[in-house]
Amino acid sequence: MSDLAIAAPRFRAAAAGEALAAWALCLPAVIAYLLMLLLPTLATAALAFTDYELGLDGFRWIGLGNFAEMLDDRGFLQSLRNTLIYVGLVTPGSILGALVLALAIEAGTRGRTLFRAVFFLPVVSLSVAMASAWQYLLHPTIGPLNAALRGLGIAGPAWLSSSDTVLLALAGIGIWENLGFNLVLFLAGLTAIPRELYAAAAVDGVPSAWERFRLVTWPLLGPTTLFVLTITMIRSVRVFDTVAVLTQGGPNKASQVLLYTLYEEGFTYFRIGYSAAITLVFLGIVLALMWLQTRILDKRVHYA
Amino acid sequence: MSGIHLQSVTKSFNGTTVLHGVSLRVAAGEFVALVGPSGCGKTTLMRIVAGIEHADSGTLQIQGREATALRAGERDVAMVFQSYALYPHLTVAENIAVPLAMRRLNAWQRLPLLGGVLPGTRAARQGIAAEVAMAAGALGLGTLLDRRPAQLSGGQRQRVALARAMVRRPAAFLMDEPLSNLDASLRVQTRREIVAIHRRAGAATLYVTHDQSEALTMADRVAVMQAGRILQVAPPREIYADPAELRVATFIGSPRINLLPAEAGTDGAVRVAGLPVGLRCAARGALTLGVRPEALVPAAQGLVARAEAVEFLGESVLLHARHESSGTPLVLRLPPEAAGHLPQPGGELHLAFAPEAALLFGPDGARCRAELAVAREPALV
Amino acid sequence: MPERTSLLRDLPRLLFLAAAGLLMLMPYIWMAAASLKPLDEIFRASLSLWPERFFAVENYGKVFARIPVGLYLWNGVVVCGGILLFQVLFAVPAGYALAKLRFRGRELVFGAVMLGLLVPPHVPALPLYVAFSQVGLLNTYTALIAPFTISVFAIFLFRQFFKSLPDDLIHAARLDGMSEMAIVWRVVLPNAWPAATAFAIFSVVAHWNDLFWPLIIANGDSHATPALGVLFFRSAEAGDDFGALMAAAMIMTAPLVIAFLLAQRRFVEGIASTGLKG
């Protein structure tokens, strides 16, 4: 500012006052940003290239050593695979379910608020507590689900303690958790579709509800769907609570997921360097999803 | 030096200069209207006075105090915004009280709950309430004090904005098109009320408008602004009858002044289409001659024109015609009785004007002071 | 499209939604039922929801006797309240400066905010944990609250909202003699109430339910949040005592669910409108 201040001192004074006030207002946020977000994130990136372990003195730079280790780490590879499977199950499940329910709710005037509240309830419920409820529900011997299956003459699996079904069970809980959130987003998207378009479709003689959906609803819901798609993927990549509560990655690493591996390596075994490297992989996946969203959003879904 | 005093103020935004060294003085108790087409820089100039924008160079004094570097809140000016800018979350009474509370209570006293128990707060609050009630009463807002802005009509909001401005008795009032959001009948009535408030307060008032009839009816002096420059500052009569240059003459007056190509011969006698008009001026060569619509009248002889259309306005009649030799469009404002005797569209007529009513401008638009020819040549009288 | 149809024609749709809704509520229904049943009834695995013997007093009593429920809830309130307080305190002035003030470095600050939106809270967790453990702040409110005091999302949200407030309102406040700080809290925030409540709901729900960070920081009852409380009760005390476990889950879930049912509309709109960050 000083060079300008010399050139025209009096006129700059007021503008400089505004700049000073602005920085004063930003200062607490800037300090907290540096201390709690920027520096730790950079530190994570740096730690990923060290063999730092909490409790040991000093550390060495080991370059890509941590990433090389990952490629040989069965636990990590398993967690990556499991996370992708989990995302692959939860995303279509919770989106399709939400879309069908949103269309059903939007198709009439009765019960709108009630149903919206019912489906949204899991979003505001304490996930640890609800995981406990699911544990009971899915319990192999005393759980109501298997009891019901027995009533139908089917022997239910040991959902959470069998490596064949554990991911499926967790994904089911994941769908249940995410459905309401997506539903609300779809409802917002549906109400934004102009009513005249349906009237026009009716006048143009579009015969069935399905045709109407294909002609009007689905295309106009495009941006919403894309948004819901990436949001759901990003949310489900972050699966942690249910695994931490219900399975701790077991049985035999069958439900090991990315964030839980990160947690175990860093905060149970205190292998900070290795855990930081996993964090970077996690960040990379999240950023790739966001990048994909903006790319597709720019290119394909453009009705404005 | 009291009032507002701007000197050589310049301002540009992103390389576009909006004010080219503007100087203006508004004396205490004076009402100056700043009028000009949109985008001429009048609002920017007012915002510089208010302290919302800051000039690139030049000086500003308010009540004799150098104000260029003062913050808006320290300048002792009040402003009525075009949008009124009322605080939507406060009641009418609270809105009006804000400027007083900010000045009379310190930061601690303004705190909710705690402020109320500090010494002096009660007395100050009571004083403020009394003045708010007075200001509100003067503007007929007494029954609306507990309403919020959203519950008021446009006219009522405008009054609240006025009350908020006048309650603290500022050294200067700034008004940015305060009437533009009102409907026509309310606008005319509010004009008189604003002038009355100004007279009572006795402060310097700077009033920005694009509506010349507002400027002419309300102001002590009118400043005509165009393209970042003030062209002329003068009392309304003078601005209309004796404009300093062509741009002022064309901007002020509705319908627009008639402009005819004229020529001053080597003897200085001014002629239009070869006919002498009874004026003599110092300049030589091509000129522009302006005649207000009401000064141009049908006559037995004079400029040959062809009638094009007649508009009946009630209190007057407008006759649109075209000067035959130059093709210039002309407008005449005639008394309504004339409506019956006007030529049909396409008909020919002769037009004349009194030489003292004509205004002469040089090729650069500057005014050429003409004198009446000594021997009145009868041609166009 | 949705005109008022007759109830009869609307019935298939309502039945479908009711069935789906019932499915959705299954965990709550069974959780509530089990919390009222004695253990032997639960182990009989009958499909009857209604308990033959009411065991509510015993189950809920066990929860209150074994774990400091009040303390967990209080910790939840302190942590969520503290986080929200600082988030608002830091983000509102910054959002205002970014929306309405001209200053050098504004683009830089806003760019930093946009960049921060890309980073999930798990990323800075490791160095923060190391730092807190070095200065001996593990198992404190400070460590539970501090990492979330900066919400770039809040800054972004408030900036967007403040931008829509008319400039003249700010100018009028300045002419009325307000300082920038006074403008922030007296003019801007009171007119940004919808954004502020939406963000508050979003923030409280997120941090009341968060498990990851409290699990890292709190290692005993003293600073455990409700989420941790359920976990502690589950792993240490209850074992297979599902009746008591479901009672604990009911207790810890109740505060937010009740708040949600009371202000259902605000919750849905608040979380949907601010849920961009996921």
Side-chain angles (χ1 to χ4, degrees):
Chain A
M1 267 303 36
S2 62
D3 51 335
L4 288 164
I6 292 162
R10 274 173 308 159
F11 318 117
R12 287 292 153 198
E18 183 168 331
L20 204 66
W23 276 106
L25 292 173
C26 286
L27 195 64
V30 168
I31 291 175
Y33 181 88
L34 291 177
L35 287 181
M36 296 299 160
L37 193 58
L38 187 62
L39 290 178
T41 302
L42 294 177
T44 301
L47 283 170
F49 300 95
T50 71
D51 65 353
Y52 183 59
E53 293 188 25
L54 198 66
L56 296 183
D57 287 332
F59 59 83
R60 283 183 309 125
W61 294 96
I62 54 167
L64 295 172
N66 286 324
F67 297 94
E69 185 185 339
M70 276 181 208
L71 296 176
D72 289 330
D73 180 349
R74 193 180 81 82
F76 169 77
L77 293 176
Q78 183 76 22
S79 74
L80 197 61
R81 219 192 95 213
N82 288 343
T83 307
L84 295 181
I85 294 174
Y86 179 86
V87 173
L89 290 171
V90 170
T91 307
S94 64
I95 290 182
L96 281 178
L99 182 59
V100 169
L101 290 171
L103 288 169
I105 290 177
E106 185 66 17
T109 49
R110 290 187 185 85
R112 233 185 125 83
T113 322
L114 172 75
F115 287 122
R116 198 176 61 168
V118 165
F119 294 118
F120 199 71
L121 202 56
V123 179
V124 296
S125 300
L126 192 64
S127 56
V128 181
M130 293 323 292
S132 302
W134 277 105
Q135 187 187 23
Y136 166 57
L137 215 61
L138 299 175
H139 193 282
T141 51
I142 64 169
L145 178 60
N146 277 6
L149 288 177
R150 267 196 301 278
L152 298 171
I154 305 167
W159 296 103
L160 288 167
S161 41
S162 151
S163 51
D164 297 330
T165 50
V166 64
L167 262 185
L168 209 60
L170 287 175
I173 301 175
I175 292 173
W176 176 83
E177 283 176 333
N178 282 296
L179 191 82
F181 188 79
N182 294 345
L183 173 90
V184 167
L185 293 177
F186 274 128
L187 280 178
L190 284 172
T191 30
I193 297 176
R195 296 278 145 242
E196 295 84 54
L197 284 178
Y198 291 106
V203 172
D204 292 344
V206 176
S208 63
W210 168 244
E211 291 293 325
R212 214 162 44 225
F213 175 79
R214 285 225 357 228
L215 181 74
V216 179
T217 314
W218 181 245
L220 283 161
L221 215 51
T224 309
T225 311
L226 180 70
F227 178 67
V228 172
L229 182 72
T230 42
I231 278 275
T232 312
M233 289 205 279
I234 290 168
R235 282 164 70 95
S236 49
V237 169
R238 288 159 63 161
V239 57
F240 176 78
D241 293 10
T242 43
V243 174
V245 175
L246 295 175
T247 67
Q248 284 93 45
N252 193 22
K253 295 196 187 299
S255 66
Q256 196 80 26
V257 292
L258 214 48
L259 271 191
Y260 193 73
T261 308
L262 182 164
Y263 168 80
E264 268 192 338
E265 293 289 349
F267 304 100
T268 311
Y269 312 136
F270 300 120
R271 301 181 60 209
I272 304 291
Y274 189 54
S275 181
I278 299 176
T279 309
L280 284 195
V281 172
F282 167 70
L283 179 64
I285 295 175
V286 171
L287 290 182
L289 288 173
M290 290 180 175
W291 177 77
L292 213 64
Q293 177 190 17
T294 45
R295 249 187 85 93
I296 301 178
L297 204 61
D298 285 347
K299 269 188 155 175
R300 295 227 1 241
V301 195
H302 204 73
Y303 304 103
Chain B
M1 181 69 234
S2 56
I4 306 168
H5 188 189
L6 287 152
Q7 209 156 20
S8 316
V9 169
T10 64
K11 175 75 183 172
S12 45
F13 290 110
N14 307 324
T16 314
T17 308
V18 271
L19 296 176
H20 304 267
V22 173
S23 299
L24 179 65
R25 179 171 291 180
V26 185
E30 192 185 23
F31 192 123
V32 171
L34 198 53
V35 66
S38 61
C40 71
K42 55 190 193 299
T43 294
T44 305
L45 189 66
M46 163 164 290
R47 284 167 165 257
I48 286 174
V49 176
I52 296 166
E53 305 280 358
H54 300 290
D56 296 337
S57 70
T59 60
L60 164 65
Q61 291 181 326
I62 295 167
Q63 287 296 89
R65 201 158 53 119
E66 181 58 45
T68 319
L70 291 181
R71 294 197 306 115
E74 302 164 341
R75 294 191 175 192
D76 199 17
V77 298
M79 182 158 170
V80 177
F81 291 85
Q82 186 172 9
S83 61
Y84 313 141
L86 301 178
Y87 305 112
H89 61 297
L90 300 181
T91 64
V92 168
E94 287 165 339
N95 260 289
I96 302 173
V98 167
L100 294 180
M102 288 298 145
R103 278 175 179 71
R104 301 206 190 142
L105 300 175
N106 63 38
W108 293 106
Q109 290 175 316
R110 274 187 260 126
L111 285 180
L113 299 177
L114 175 67
V117 300
L118 289 175
T121 310
R122 262 184 80 88
R125 286 251 180 235
Q126 280 168 357
I128 291 170
E131 285 178 53
V132 167
M134 212 156 73
L139 284 159
L141 295 167
T143 56
L144 304 173
L145 285 176
D146 294 326
R147 301 251 188 109
R148 280 177 206 276
Q151 300 166 296
L152 301 178
S153 69
Q156 289 167 335
R157 280 180 217 182
Q158 211 262 353
R159 282 153 193 276
V160 177
L162 280 173
R164 183 175 68 177
M166 64 183 267
V167 72
R168 64 183 225 225
R169 304 172 204 285
F173 277 117
L174 307 174
M175 304 198 187
D176 184 10
E177 312 234 3
L179 305 181
S180 62
N181 287 332
L182 299 182
D183 57 51
S185 63
L186 204 54
R187 206 178 302 167
V188 173
Q189 177 198 341
T190 315
R191 275 183 198 171
R192 287 197 303 276
E193 287 179 356
I194 289 181
V195 173
I197 289 171
H198 161 76
R199 297 262 175 270
R200 237 179 301 150
T205 297
L206 183 60
Y207 186 103
V208 161
T209 179
H210 66 273
D211 180 344
Q212 49 166 303
S213 66
E214 251 173 48
L216 295 174
T217 49
M218 297 171 79
D220 298 321
R221 289 195 299 152
V222 176
V224 179
M225 206 168 164
Q226 231 166 62
R229 289 192 173 81
I230 289 187
L231 305 179
Q232 187 177 7
V233 189
R237 258 199 62 77
E238 197 180 319
I239 282 278
Y240 185 77
D242 192 13
E245 57 167 300
L246 186 59
R247 285 180 291 173
V248 176
T250 47
F251 183 73
I252 299 290
S254 173
R256 222 179 68 145
I257 193 169
N258 296 301
L259 298 175
L260 291 157
E263 199 178 8
T266 47
D267 56 346
V270 178
R271 290 161 199 275
V272 172
L275 299 169
V277 297
L279 288 171
R280 190 177 291 283
C281 85
R284 300 288 180 267
L287 298 170
T288 302
L289 183 144
V291 192
R292 296 278 179 204
E294 62 273 17
L296 198 59
V297 289
Q301 53 178 326
L303 301 170
V304 182
R306 202 160 288 281
E308 288 188 336
V310 175
E311 284 177 288
F312 184 71
L313 296 180
E315 86 286 358
S316 63
V317 180
L318 295 184
L319 170 64
H320 295 269
R322 194 171 288 276
H323 185 211
E324 281 274 274
S325 58
S326 66
T328 318
L330 298 170
V331 187
L332 288 73
R333 187 198 291 280
L334 301 167
E337 311 82 78
H341 325 111
L342 292 175
Q344 291 300 308
E348 193 184 81
L349 75 164
H350 293 265
L351 302 173
F353 54 87
E356 55 270 28
L359 306 166
L360 283 174
F361 304 95
D364 58 349
R367 182 81 181 276
C368 295
R369 299 287 163 185
E371 51 190 56
L372 295 178
V374 188
R376 272 195 159 191
E377 293 163 87
L380 284 175
V381 181
Chain C
M1 175 178 48
E3 311 158 359
R4 196 88 192 166
T5 44
S6 74
L7 187 59
L8 198 66
R9 288 193 54 187
D10 211 12
L11 210 56
R13 186 184 74 90
L14 291 175
L15 283 177
F16 167 69
L17 283 172
L22 207 63
L23 210 62
M24 207 72 184
L25 292 179
M26 255 335 150
Y28 299 93
I29 295 168
W30 282 103
M31 175 170 73
S35 78
L36 304 175
K37 289 180 182 174
L39 209 50
D40 57 317
E41 249 183 82
I42 294 175
F43 272 91
R44 233 182 295 141
S46 89
L47 281 172
S48 139
L49 280 169
W50 203 248
E52 289 161 25
R53 251 180 337 124
F54 263 92
F55 217 61
V57 178
E58 290 81 349
N59 281 336
Y60 287 86
K62 199 183 285 173
V63 176
F64 281 98
R66 297 264 181 85
I67 55 170
V69 173
L71 179 65
Y72 293 159
L73 293 176
W74 171 244
N75 286 341
V77 170
V78 170
V79 170
C80 288
I83 288 172
L84 181 62
L85 177 77
F86 281 105
Q87 282 177 335
V88 170
L89 217 56
F90 290 178
V92 168
Y96 165 73
L98 287 174
K100 292 292 185 195
L101 297 181
R102 284 168 296 188
F103 62 102
R104 267 202 194 186
R106 182 169 74 173
E107 301 308 314
L108 179 76
V109 174
F110 188 60
V113 168
M114 297 307 286
L115 207 64
L117 283 175
L118 300 176
V119 181
H122 312 86
V123 175
L126 277 166
L128 285 173
Y129 169 74
V130 174
F132 283 126
S133 84
Q134 296 294 342
V135 294
L137 281 176
L138 291 185
N139 209 28
T140 59
Y141 288 135
T142 311
L144 285 169
I145 293 170
F148 306 105
T149 51
I150 179 67
S151 169
V152 281
F153 176 62
I155 297 177
F156 178 75
L157 184 78
F158 283 123
R159 172 192 178 266
Q160 298 308 90
F161 198 89
F162 294 164
K163 262 188 119 54
S164 66
L165 294 178
D167 283 344
D168 277 352
L169 192 66
I170 315 291
H171 296 152
R174 277 189 206 138
L175 278 163
D176 284 346
M178 289 194 199
S179 68
E180 296 301 312
M181 211 35 151
I183 292 175
V184 170
W185 302 114
R186 289 178 171 275
V187 178
V188 171
L189 189 59
N191 285 300
W193 220 234
T197 44
F199 176 73
I201 289 169
F202 168 79
S203 167
V204 167
V205 168
H207 294 291
W208 185 269
N209 291 339
D210 184 31
L211 178 65
F212 188 79
W213 189 245
L215 192 59
I216 293 168
I217 291 299
N219 50 27
D221 282 339
S222 62
H223 291 83
T225 56
L228 270 187
V230 179
L231 201 62
F232 288 170
F233 184 70
R234 222 182 70 92
S235 52
E237 312 279 347
D240 276 341
D241 189 350
F242 277 101
L245 181 59
M246 293 303 108
M250 289 288 287
I251 295 167
M252 300 300 185
T253 316
L256 265 199
V257 167
I258 290 171
F260 166 67
L261 294 176
L262 289 179
Q264 195 254 120
R265 215 188 153 75
R266 275 193 182 284
F267 265 73
V268 170
E269 278 159 15
I271 293 179
S273 65
T274 52
L276 308 155
K277 201 188 160 198

